[in-house]
Amino acid sequence: MKESRTATPEVEQKEKRITLRIEGMTCAACVHTVQGALEHVPGVDLATVNLATETADIAYDLGETGVQKLVQAVRSVGYGAGTDQVNLVVPDLGDAGGAKSIEQGLIALDGVVSATVNASTGQVTVGFVRDAVSLEAMTKVVEAAGYTVEAIQSADEMSADLERLSRTQEIRKLRTKFTVSLAGSVAIMVMMFTPGIEEALSAFGVNLIAMTIATPVQFWAGKQFYTGAWGALKHRTSNMNSLIALGTSVAYAYSVVITFFGDLFPQATGTYFDTSATIIALILFGRFLEARAKGQTSEAIRSLMGLTPRTARVVRDGEDIDIPLEDVIAGDVIIVRPGERVPVDGQVNDGYSTVDESMLTGESIPVEKGPEAQVYGGTVNVAGSFTFTATKVGKETALAQIIKLVQKAQGSKAPIQRLADTVASYFVPVVLGIAALTFAVWMFFGPEPSYQFALLNVIAVLIIACPCALGLATPTAIMVGTGKGAEHGVLVRDAGALETAHKLQVVVLDKTGTLTRGVPRLTDIITLNDASEEDVLRLAASVERASEHPVASAIVEGAKERGIDPQPTEGFQSAPGLGVRAQVAGEWVAVGSMRLVEQAGLAIESVQSEATKLAEAGKTPMAVIRGQQIIGLLGVADTLRPESAEAVAQLQRLGIEVVMLTGDTKATAAAIASEVGITNILAEVMPDQKAAEIQRLQAQGKRVAMVGDGVNDAPALAQADVGIAIGTGTDVALETADIALMQADVRGVATAIALSKATLSTIRQNLFWAFFYNVALIPLAAGVLYLFFNESGVPQGFRWALGDVGFLNPILAAMAMAISSVTVVSNSLRLRRWQMR
């Protein structure tokens, strides 16, 4: 059984969760470093760092620590913590005491990282972590100091997020550095390998010019490697930057020494400025390609963000005006014209139209909208105009909640990633050990000039080792997989649910509202003991009017359709799973199942045959009891969804055992199950027994999913290995579920499982190549091929890569390292083409 998601009230008050943006991570070793730093902060209960999304999901105790300490912990190990900035315009801020009071009050807020008050300009600049503190809380601090916030100047969060996710700035910087590095390395190579250059300039002159070109490449283009390595070194750890900085520095420093003190090394054959510059160029090229590919992995979430319009046309003071979306408040009346996007969630007041809601549900057919219909922000008004009243704005809209859920899923870690994380935590120290051993072996036992071969092999080992691919293998696939799910109307709460879904063996489908439409209708009225149809239905509707059960609604609606008015009742009582009763005109009347008849001690034989006939027809028989006499039977049927049979067939093709769970009688359940092709039925299950039935299946060693939509499904959804709530469900069901289907189409269950299988297959492929790459190529870089070629020599066609005796060219090591990460991310991107078959 999975861990319960329900927390106690004490924990909810004490614990806080935030998502912190992390800047500067490049590999799995970086993830390990940042996660370790956060976990060592007193009060931190959980820290999950994700390389692909570059975020940290942190749960901490409010009484022991705060956001400031978390940010400091990240920065202390050499990485950046992404924060937002807002300017509060506070006029008449001339008093130094007031300014200090505001500054201290803001810094005391959990979530505020910095606060600077400029009394002369009347501005308060606040650095804060988004979602950890609200603008309202900041405003209250200023007001508590006796001042008024006249205006709030903040950056466009949506634009900032789109910029960050698309990695436009990062890609631009990497492209510039790569271009400069490439130009420098090519210039050095041309100069060093062009006949006659050395004779004209002398060896010293050529090396001096090469050093002049290589130096900015090494320390400007390669600055990020040194910065990352130094941050790790300060905390006695290491990462991918450590390996690159060390490897290229060895080549550069050796070349500088040879340039000025070459006479001390008579066996030296030349400098390696071209090697250090080319390695940096190739690694930057790999990072550039990787950044572009990682930007593509966020395409789904960026598409969702891009759906929100920037303005809304509202009616204020009798005029139609266009205002920024952030200025829209609940209660505003908004006008939507044909072709426009609905700006926020609300309820239609006037007008008729059809709205394309495919971005929410995955369903391409537009939905008709009229007065009192619900509309959702980001959906497209296809035809017609309407006005509506805003009910949910900003981060409360359905689209904002979907974006938040997808982001949370993409930032979570799948259990399968633990292996990669464990390996990565030891990876860089092990590589440094292998590099040291490689140098020692070739220095003392290698061919002459041994120090030169030892140096080249050390550089190759340091450069070719790549924990980046290990760190990206799982999260990039999770990002694309969860994004693809959102496109199909399947929202995955976290990566663990996505991983578990591919292992499912049994899917338990709740009948009402899942396989059926969930809106039953009165179909039959059978009278007994001289009662009339009108009497039976009037009494039944009178009692059921106080019940919220779907069957009760069907009976009340059936009476209304037949022009029968219910009577007043007293003493209404409900027995879950059995029925209801109340006094009508001083006489007790009960309406309920055949079990209610049995418990009442009445002769069930008198109605058994009629009840059986109704049940065999897929209808639910409901007995109407007046006093101690059964006066009639009502047949209520909940019609099947047209796609239910196809959904069951899809699950069975995936090798899933399908079980139907219902409180109906066995006969009724069997009739419904036969229509959709289900043979395994759990019937007559009381609402409080659903979770126990799931547990019983799990006790048989099976991984079980529960699919439901109602309040009484919530315990079963929580008990299941994977709980799946369909889109017509209540907030309770959606909150308890691991996966939410945005439309009432049970075929989404098969889609979720098939997508899980595709995602996990991609993750396994990624991990295989990441491990295989390092296991195969590190020994190659260490010079193991020398054992095979030291006597016979390397075949002519491979000498460009392995030299004369089998030592790998460090430039090729850099190329291989760059390719490894790009390969993993590109393989994950293949999921974007996934379609349900």
Side-chain angles (χ1 to χ4, degrees), residues 467-525:
C468 303
L470 281 174
L472 293 169
T474 300
T476 52
I478 294 293
M479 281 187 72
V480 182
T482 51
K484 195 67 183 176
E487 289 178 17
H488 285 75
V490 176
L491 299 183
V492 182
R493 183 172 294 278
D494 57 45
L498 190 65
E499 179 177 341
T500 305
H502 91 287
K503 304 173 185 175
L504 291 172
Q505 298 163 291
V506 179
V507 169
V508 178
L509 299 170
D510 182 57
K511 179 185 76 73
T512 305
T514 302
L515 287 170
T516 64
R517 295 183 184 276
V519 185
R521 293 179 60 82
L522 178 66
T523 58
D524 300 80
I525 304 173

Short mmCIF file of all heavy atoms in Angstrom, two decimals, residues 467-525:
data_model
loop_
_atom_site.label_atom_id
_atom_site.label_comp_id
_atom_site.label_asym_id
_atom_site.label_seq_id
_atom_site.Cartn_x
_atom_site.Cartn_y
_atom_site.Cartn_z
N PRO A 467 28.45 12.07 -15.52
CA PRO A 467 27.26 11.78 -14.73
C PRO A 467 26.04 12.57 -15.22
O PRO A 467 24.94 12.38 -14.71
CB PRO A 467 27.66 12.22 -13.31
CG PRO A 467 28.69 13.27 -13.53
CD PRO A 467 29.42 12.91 -14.79
N CYS A 468 26.25 13.47 -16.18
CA CYS A 468 25.12 14.26 -16.70
C CYS A 468 24.04 13.33 -17.26
O CYS A 468 22.85 13.51 -17.00
CB CYS A 468 25.59 15.21 -17.80
SG CYS A 468 26.89 16.33 -17.28
N ALA A 469 24.48 12.36 -18.07
CA ALA A 469 23.51 11.45 -18.70
C ALA A 469 22.72 10.68 -17.64
O ALA A 469 21.52 10.46 -17.78
CB ALA A 469 24.24 10.48 -19.63
N LEU A 470 23.40 10.29 -16.55
CA LEU A 470 22.71 9.59 -15.47
C LEU A 470 21.67 10.48 -14.81
O LEU A 470 20.56 10.05 -14.51
CB LEU A 470 23.73 9.14 -14.41
CG LEU A 470 24.56 7.89 -14.71
CD1 LEU A 470 25.61 7.71 -13.62
CD2 LEU A 470 23.67 6.67 -14.80
N GLY A 471 22.03 11.75 -14.62
CA GLY A 471 21.11 12.67 -13.97
C GLY A 471 19.91 13.04 -14.82
O GLY A 471 18.85 13.37 -14.30
N LEU A 472 20.07 12.99 -16.14
CA LEU A 472 18.99 13.40 -17.04
C LEU A 472 18.12 12.23 -17.49
O LEU A 472 17.03 12.44 -18.04
CB LEU A 472 19.59 14.09 -18.28
CG LEU A 472 20.27 15.44 -18.04
CD1 LEU A 472 21.04 15.87 -19.28
CD2 LEU A 472 19.25 16.49 -17.67
N ALA A 473 18.58 11.01 -17.29
CA ALA A 473 17.90 9.83 -17.85
C ALA A 473 16.45 9.74 -17.40
O ALA A 473 15.55 9.53 -18.23
CB ALA A 473 18.66 8.56 -17.44
N THR A 474 16.21 9.90 -16.12
CA THR A 474 14.84 9.77 -15.60
C THR A 474 14.01 11.04 -15.69
O THR A 474 12.91 11.02 -16.24
CB THR A 474 14.88 9.26 -14.14
OG1 THR A 474 15.52 7.99 -14.11
CG2 THR A 474 13.47 9.11 -13.59
N PRO A 475 14.52 12.20 -15.19
CA PRO A 475 13.64 13.39 -15.16
C PRO A 475 13.21 13.90 -16.53
O PRO A 475 12.11 14.42 -16.66
CB PRO A 475 14.48 14.42 -14.41
CG PRO A 475 15.88 13.95 -14.49
CD PRO A 475 15.81 12.46 -14.53
N THR A 476 14.07 13.79 -17.54
CA THR A 476 13.65 14.27 -18.86
C THR A 476 12.50 13.43 -19.41
O THR A 476 11.56 13.96 -20.01
CB THR A 476 14.82 14.26 -19.86
OG1 THR A 476 15.43 12.97 -19.88
CG2 THR A 476 15.86 15.31 -19.51
N ALA A 477 12.56 12.12 -19.20
CA ALA A 477 11.47 11.25 -19.65
C ALA A 477 10.20 11.54 -18.86
O ALA A 477 9.10 11.56 -19.43
CB ALA A 477 11.87 9.78 -19.49
N ILE A 478 10.33 11.78 -17.56
CA ILE A 478 9.17 12.12 -16.73
C ILE A 478 8.55 13.43 -17.21
O ILE A 478 7.32 13.56 -17.31
CB ILE A 478 9.57 12.24 -15.25
CG1 ILE A 478 10.01 10.87 -14.68
CG2 ILE A 478 8.43 12.83 -14.42
CD1 ILE A 478 8.91 9.85 -14.60
N MET A 479 9.39 14.42 -17.53
CA MET A 479 8.88 15.71 -18.00
C MET A 479 8.06 15.55 -19.27
O MET A 479 6.95 16.07 -19.39
CB MET A 479 10.04 16.67 -18.26
CG MET A 479 10.61 17.33 -17.03
SD MET A 479 11.82 18.59 -17.45
CE MET A 479 10.77 19.88 -18.12
N VAL A 480 8.61 14.83 -20.23
CA VAL A 480 7.92 14.67 -21.51
C VAL A 480 6.67 13.80 -21.31
O VAL A 480 5.60 14.08 -21.87
CB VAL A 480 8.84 14.06 -22.57
CG1 VAL A 480 8.11 13.93 -23.91
CG2 VAL A 480 10.08 14.92 -22.77
N GLY A 481 6.80 12.74 -20.52
CA GLY A 481 5.68 11.82 -20.29
C GLY A 481 4.51 12.50 -19.60
O GLY A 481 3.36 12.36 -20.04
N THR A 482 4.77 13.27 -18.54
CA THR A 482 3.68 13.95 -17.84
C THR A 482 3.08 15.05 -18.71
O THR A 482 1.87 15.29 -18.69
CB THR A 482 4.17 14.56 -16.51
OG1 THR A 482 5.34 15.35 -16.75
CG2 THR A 482 4.48 13.48 -15.50
N GLY A 483 3.92 15.72 -19.51
CA GLY A 483 3.42 16.73 -20.43
C GLY A 483 2.53 16.12 -21.49
O GLY A 483 1.48 16.67 -21.83
N LYS A 484 2.95 14.97 -22.00
CA LYS A 484 2.14 14.28 -23.01
C LYS A 484 0.82 13.83 -22.39
O LYS A 484 -0.23 13.87 -23.05
CB LYS A 484 2.92 13.06 -23.55
CG LYS A 484 2.34 12.50 -24.84
CD LYS A 484 2.50 13.48 -25.97
CE LYS A 484 1.89 12.98 -27.25
NZ LYS A 484 1.97 13.98 -28.34
N GLY A 485 0.86 13.40 -21.15
CA GLY A 485 -0.37 13.01 -20.46
C GLY A 485 -1.34 14.17 -20.37
O GLY A 485 -2.54 14.01 -20.61
N ALA A 486 -0.82 15.36 -20.04
CA ALA A 486 -1.68 16.54 -19.93
C ALA A 486 -2.35 16.85 -21.27
O ALA A 486 -3.51 17.26 -21.31
CB ALA A 486 -0.85 17.75 -19.47
N GLU A 487 -1.63 16.63 -22.37
CA GLU A 487 -2.21 16.85 -23.70
C GLU A 487 -3.39 15.91 -23.95
O GLU A 487 -4.33 16.25 -24.67
CB GLU A 487 -1.16 16.61 -24.79
CG GLU A 487 -0.08 17.69 -24.85
CD GLU A 487 0.96 17.36 -25.91
OE1 GLU A 487 0.68 16.51 -26.78
OE2 GLU A 487 2.04 17.95 -25.88
N HIS A 488 -3.36 14.72 -23.34
CA HIS A 488 -4.44 13.74 -23.50
C HIS A 488 -5.47 13.82 -22.37
O HIS A 488 -6.30 12.92 -22.23
CB HIS A 488 -3.85 12.32 -23.56
CG HIS A 488 -3.18 11.99 -24.86
ND1 HIS A 488 -1.95 12.49 -25.20
CD2 HIS A 488 -3.60 11.24 -25.91
CE1 HIS A 488 -1.61 12.04 -26.40
NE2 HIS A 488 -2.59 11.29 -26.86
N GLY A 489 -5.39 14.86 -21.55
CA GLY A 489 -6.35 15.00 -20.46
C GLY A 489 -6.06 14.08 -19.29
O GLY A 489 -6.96 13.80 -18.49
N VAL A 490 -4.81 13.62 -19.17
CA VAL A 490 -4.41 12.74 -18.06
C VAL A 490 -3.40 13.50 -17.21
O VAL A 490 -2.29 13.79 -17.65
CB VAL A 490 -3.77 11.43 -18.58
CG1 VAL A 490 -3.28 10.58 -17.41
CG2 VAL A 490 -4.76 10.65 -19.43
N LEU A 491 -3.79 13.85 -15.98
CA LEU A 491 -2.91 14.60 -15.09
C LEU A 491 -2.33 13.66 -14.05
O LEU A 491 -3.06 13.04 -13.29
CB LEU A 491 -3.68 15.73 -14.40
CG LEU A 491 -4.28 16.80 -15.31
CD1 LEU A 491 -4.95 17.88 -14.47
CD2 LEU A 491 -3.23 17.40 -16.22
N VAL A 492 -1.01 13.57 -14.03
CA VAL A 492 -0.31 12.68 -13.10
C VAL A 492 0.19 13.51 -11.93
O VAL A 492 0.83 14.55 -12.12
CB VAL A 492 0.89 11.99 -13.81
CG1 VAL A 492 1.59 11.04 -12.85
CG2 VAL A 492 0.41 11.25 -15.05
N ARG A 493 -0.13 13.06 -10.71
CA ARG A 493 0.22 13.86 -9.54
C ARG A 493 1.72 13.86 -9.28
O ARG A 493 2.29 14.89 -8.92
CB ARG A 493 -0.52 13.33 -8.30
CG ARG A 493 -0.27 14.13 -7.05
CD ARG A 493 -1.18 13.67 -5.93
NE ARG A 493 -2.57 13.94 -6.24
CZ ARG A 493 -3.14 15.12 -6.04
NH1 ARG A 493 -2.45 16.12 -5.56
NH2 ARG A 493 -4.41 15.30 -6.32
N ASP A 494 2.38 12.73 -9.42
CA ASP A 494 3.83 12.69 -9.21
C ASP A 494 4.45 11.55 -10.01
O ASP A 494 3.76 10.69 -10.54
CB ASP A 494 4.19 12.57 -7.72
CG ASP A 494 3.57 11.34 -7.07
OD1 ASP A 494 3.61 10.25 -7.67
OD2 ASP A 494 3.04 11.45 -5.95
N ALA A 495 5.79 11.59 -10.08
CA ALA A 495 6.51 10.61 -10.89
C ALA A 495 6.36 9.19 -10.35
O ALA A 495 6.40 8.22 -11.10
CB ALA A 495 7.99 10.99 -10.95
N GLY A 496 6.19 9.07 -9.04
CA GLY A 496 6.01 7.75 -8.45
C GLY A 496 4.76 7.06 -8.97
O GLY A 496 4.77 5.85 -9.25
N ALA A 497 3.68 7.83 -9.13
CA ALA A 497 2.44 7.26 -9.67
C ALA A 497 2.63 6.82 -11.11
O ALA A 497 2.12 5.77 -11.54
CB ALA A 497 1.31 8.28 -9.58
N LEU A 498 3.37 7.63 -11.88
CA LEU A 498 3.62 7.28 -13.29
C LEU A 498 4.42 5.98 -13.38
O LEU A 498 4.17 5.14 -14.25
CB LEU A 498 4.36 8.42 -13.98
CG LEU A 498 4.48 8.31 -15.50
CD1 LEU A 498 3.12 8.41 -16.17
CD2 LEU A 498 5.41 9.40 -16.04
N GLU A 499 5.38 5.83 -12.48
CA GLU A 499 6.19 4.60 -12.51
C GLU A 499 5.36 3.39 -12.07
O GLU A 499 5.44 2.32 -12.68
CB GLU A 499 7.41 4.74 -11.61
CG GLU A 499 8.25 3.47 -11.59
CD GLU A 499 9.51 3.60 -10.74
OE1 GLU A 499 9.93 4.73 -10.46
OE2 GLU A 499 10.07 2.55 -10.37
N THR A 500 4.58 3.55 -11.02
CA THR A 500 3.78 2.43 -10.50
C THR A 500 2.74 1.97 -11.51
O THR A 500 2.44 0.77 -11.60
CB THR A 500 3.09 2.82 -9.18
OG1 THR A 500 4.08 3.28 -8.26
CG2 THR A 500 2.34 1.65 -8.58
N ALA A 501 2.19 2.91 -12.27
CA ALA A 501 1.10 2.57 -13.20
C ALA A 501 1.48 1.50 -14.20
O ALA A 501 0.64 0.70 -14.62
CB ALA A 501 0.61 3.82 -13.92
N HIS A 502 2.75 1.45 -14.60
CA HIS A 502 3.13 0.46 -15.62
C HIS A 502 3.19 -0.96 -15.05
O HIS A 502 3.26 -1.94 -15.79
CB HIS A 502 4.46 0.84 -16.25
CG HIS A 502 5.67 0.24 -15.59
ND1 HIS A 502 6.14 0.68 -14.36
CD2 HIS A 502 6.49 -0.76 -15.97
CE1 HIS A 502 7.19 -0.02 -14.03
NE2 HIS A 502 7.44 -0.91 -14.97
N LYS A 503 3.15 -1.06 -13.69
CA LYS A 503 3.22 -2.38 -13.06
C LYS A 503 1.84 -2.93 -12.70
O LYS A 503 1.73 -4.02 -12.15
CB LYS A 503 4.06 -2.31 -11.78
CG LYS A 503 5.46 -1.77 -11.96
CD LYS A 503 6.13 -1.58 -10.61
CE LYS A 503 7.50 -0.94 -10.74
NZ LYS A 503 8.10 -0.64 -9.41
N LEU A 504 0.79 -2.16 -12.97
CA LEU A 504 -0.55 -2.55 -12.54
C LEU A 504 -0.99 -3.88 -13.16
O LEU A 504 -0.75 -4.14 -14.34
CB LEU A 504 -1.56 -1.46 -12.90
CG LEU A 504 -1.45 -0.16 -12.12
CD1 LEU A 504 -2.36 0.89 -12.71
CD2 LEU A 504 -1.77 -0.39 -10.64
N GLN A 505 -1.64 -4.68 -12.34
CA GLN A 505 -2.17 -5.96 -12.80
C GLN A 505 -3.69 -5.98 -12.80
O GLN A 505 -4.31 -6.71 -13.57
CB GLN A 505 -1.64 -7.08 -11.90
CG GLN A 505 -0.12 -7.22 -11.92
CD GLN A 505 0.39 -8.02 -10.74
OE1 GLN A 505 0.34 -7.57 -9.60
NE2 GLN A 505 0.87 -9.22 -11.01
N VAL A 506 -4.29 -5.20 -11.89
CA VAL A 506 -5.75 -5.18 -11.75
C VAL A 506 -6.23 -3.73 -11.75
O VAL A 506 -5.64 -2.88 -11.09
CB VAL A 506 -6.20 -5.85 -10.43
CG1 VAL A 506 -7.72 -5.81 -10.30
CG2 VAL A 506 -5.70 -7.29 -10.37
N VAL A 507 -7.29 -3.46 -12.52
CA VAL A 507 -7.94 -2.16 -12.48
C VAL A 507 -9.37 -2.38 -12.00
O VAL A 507 -10.14 -3.12 -12.62
CB VAL A 507 -7.94 -1.47 -13.85
CG1 VAL A 507 -8.87 -0.25 -13.83
CG2 VAL A 507 -6.54 -1.05 -14.25
N VAL A 508 -9.70 -1.77 -10.87
CA VAL A 508 -11.05 -1.87 -10.31
C VAL A 508 -11.83 -0.62 -10.74
O VAL A 508 -11.43 0.51 -10.42
CB VAL A 508 -11.00 -1.97 -8.77
CG1 VAL A 508 -12.42 -2.03 -8.21
CG2 VAL A 508 -10.21 -3.20 -8.35
N LEU A 509 -12.92 -0.84 -11.45
CA LEU A 509 -13.74 0.26 -11.95
C LEU A 509 -15.01 0.38 -11.12
O LEU A 509 -15.80 -0.58 -11.05
CB LEU A 509 -14.10 0.04 -13.42
CG LEU A 509 -12.94 -0.06 -14.42
CD1 LEU A 509 -13.46 -0.52 -15.77
CD2 LEU A 509 -12.24 1.27 -14.55
N ASP A 510 -15.20 1.52 -10.49
CA ASP A 510 -16.48 1.77 -9.83
C ASP A 510 -17.55 1.90 -10.92
O ASP A 510 -17.29 2.47 -11.98
CB ASP A 510 -16.40 3.06 -9.02
CG ASP A 510 -17.69 3.34 -8.28
OD1 ASP A 510 -18.11 2.48 -7.49
OD2 ASP A 510 -18.27 4.42 -8.50
N LYS A 511 -18.72 1.34 -10.68
CA LYS A 511 -19.74 1.35 -11.74
C LYS A 511 -20.36 2.72 -11.94
O LYS A 511 -20.26 3.31 -13.01
CB LYS A 511 -20.85 0.34 -11.42
CG LYS A 511 -21.97 0.32 -12.50
CD LYS A 511 -23.11 -0.59 -12.11
CE LYS A 511 -24.01 0.01 -11.07
NZ LYS A 511 -24.89 1.10 -11.60
N THR A 512 -20.96 3.25 -10.88
CA THR A 512 -21.75 4.47 -11.01
C THR A 512 -20.86 5.69 -11.24
O THR A 512 -19.98 5.99 -10.44
CB THR A 512 -22.60 4.70 -9.75
OG1 THR A 512 -23.40 3.54 -9.52
CG2 THR A 512 -23.49 5.91 -9.91
N GLY A 513 -21.08 6.37 -12.35
CA GLY A 513 -20.34 7.57 -12.67
C GLY A 513 -19.02 7.31 -13.36
O GLY A 513 -18.38 8.24 -13.84
N THR A 514 -18.62 6.04 -13.40
CA THR A 514 -17.36 5.69 -14.06
C THR A 514 -17.65 4.90 -15.33
O THR A 514 -17.36 5.36 -16.44
CB THR A 514 -16.46 4.88 -13.11
OG1 THR A 514 -16.22 5.64 -11.93
CG2 THR A 514 -15.14 4.55 -13.77
N LEU A 515 -18.23 3.72 -15.17
CA LEU A 515 -18.67 2.97 -16.35
C LEU A 515 -20.01 3.50 -16.87
O LEU A 515 -20.30 3.43 -18.06
CB LEU A 515 -18.82 1.49 -15.99
CG LEU A 515 -17.52 0.70 -15.80
CD1 LEU A 515 -17.81 -0.67 -15.22
CD2 LEU A 515 -16.76 0.58 -17.10
N THR A 516 -20.81 4.02 -15.95
CA THR A 516 -22.12 4.57 -16.34
C THR A 516 -22.06 6.09 -16.29
O THR A 516 -21.10 6.68 -15.80
CB THR A 516 -23.22 4.06 -15.39
OG1 THR A 516 -22.95 4.55 -14.08
CG2 THR A 516 -23.26 2.55 -15.38
N ARG A 517 -23.12 6.70 -16.77
CA ARG A 517 -23.16 8.17 -16.82
C ARG A 517 -23.28 8.79 -15.43
O ARG A 517 -23.01 9.96 -15.24
CB ARG A 517 -24.32 8.64 -17.68
CG ARG A 517 -24.18 8.26 -19.15
CD ARG A 517 -25.33 8.82 -19.96
NE ARG A 517 -25.28 8.39 -21.35
CZ ARG A 517 -24.56 8.99 -22.29
NH1 ARG A 517 -23.83 10.03 -21.98
NH2 ARG A 517 -24.58 8.54 -23.53
N GLY A 518 -23.71 7.98 -14.47
CA GLY A 518 -23.86 8.50 -13.12
C GLY A 518 -25.13 9.30 -12.91
O GLY A 518 -25.32 9.92 -11.87
N VAL A 519 -26.01 9.30 -13.90
CA VAL A 519 -27.29 10.02 -13.78
C VAL A 519 -28.41 9.02 -14.06
O VAL A 519 -28.90 8.91 -15.19
CB VAL A 519 -27.37 11.20 -14.76
CG1 VAL A 519 -28.64 12.00 -14.53
CG2 VAL A 519 -26.15 12.10 -14.63
N PRO A 520 -28.82 8.25 -13.06
CA PRO A 520 -29.86 7.23 -13.28
C PRO A 520 -31.23 7.86 -13.57
O PRO A 520 -31.49 9.01 -13.22
CB PRO A 520 -29.87 6.45 -11.96
CG PRO A 520 -29.33 7.40 -10.96
CD PRO A 520 -28.35 8.27 -11.67
N ARG A 521 -32.10 7.07 -14.21
CA ARG A 521 -33.46 7.51 -14.54
C ARG A 521 -34.46 6.47 -14.04
O ARG A 521 -34.18 5.27 -14.02
CB ARG A 521 -33.61 7.69 -16.05
CG ARG A 521 -32.79 8.84 -16.61
CD ARG A 521 -32.98 8.94 -18.12
NE ARG A 521 -34.37 9.17 -18.48
CZ ARG A 521 -34.97 10.36 -18.48
NH1 ARG A 521 -34.27 11.43 -18.14
NH2 ARG A 521 -36.24 10.50 -18.81
N LEU A 522 -35.62 6.95 -13.67
CA LEU A 522 -36.70 6.06 -13.26
C LEU A 522 -37.28 5.39 -14.51
O LEU A 522 -37.71 6.08 -15.44
CB LEU A 522 -37.79 6.85 -12.54
CG LEU A 522 -39.01 6.07 -12.08
CD1 LEU A 522 -38.63 5.07 -11.00
CD2 LEU A 522 -40.09 7.03 -11.57
N THR A 523 -37.27 4.07 -14.54
CA THR A 523 -37.72 3.35 -15.73
C THR A 523 -38.99 2.53 -15.49
O THR A 523 -39.77 2.32 -16.43
CB THR A 523 -36.61 2.40 -16.22
OG1 THR A 523 -36.27 1.49 -15.15
CG2 THR A 523 -35.37 3.18 -16.64
N ASP A 524 -39.21 2.03 -14.29
CA ASP A 524 -40.34 1.12 -14.02
C ASP A 524 -41.03 1.47 -12.71
O ASP A 524 -40.36 1.83 -11.73
CB ASP A 524 -39.86 -0.34 -13.95
CG ASP A 524 -39.22 -0.81 -15.24
OD1 ASP A 524 -38.03 -0.49 -15.47
OD2 ASP A 524 -39.91 -1.49 -16.02
N ILE A 525 -42.36 1.32 -12.70
CA ILE A 525 -43.14 1.43 -11.46
C ILE A 525 -44.03 0.20 -11.38
O ILE A 525 -44.90 -0.02 -12.22
CB ILE A 525 -44.01 2.70 -11.45
CG1 ILE A 525 -43.15 3.96 -11.68
CG2 ILE A 525 -44.78 2.81 -10.13
CD1 ILE A 525 -43.97 5.23 -11.84
#
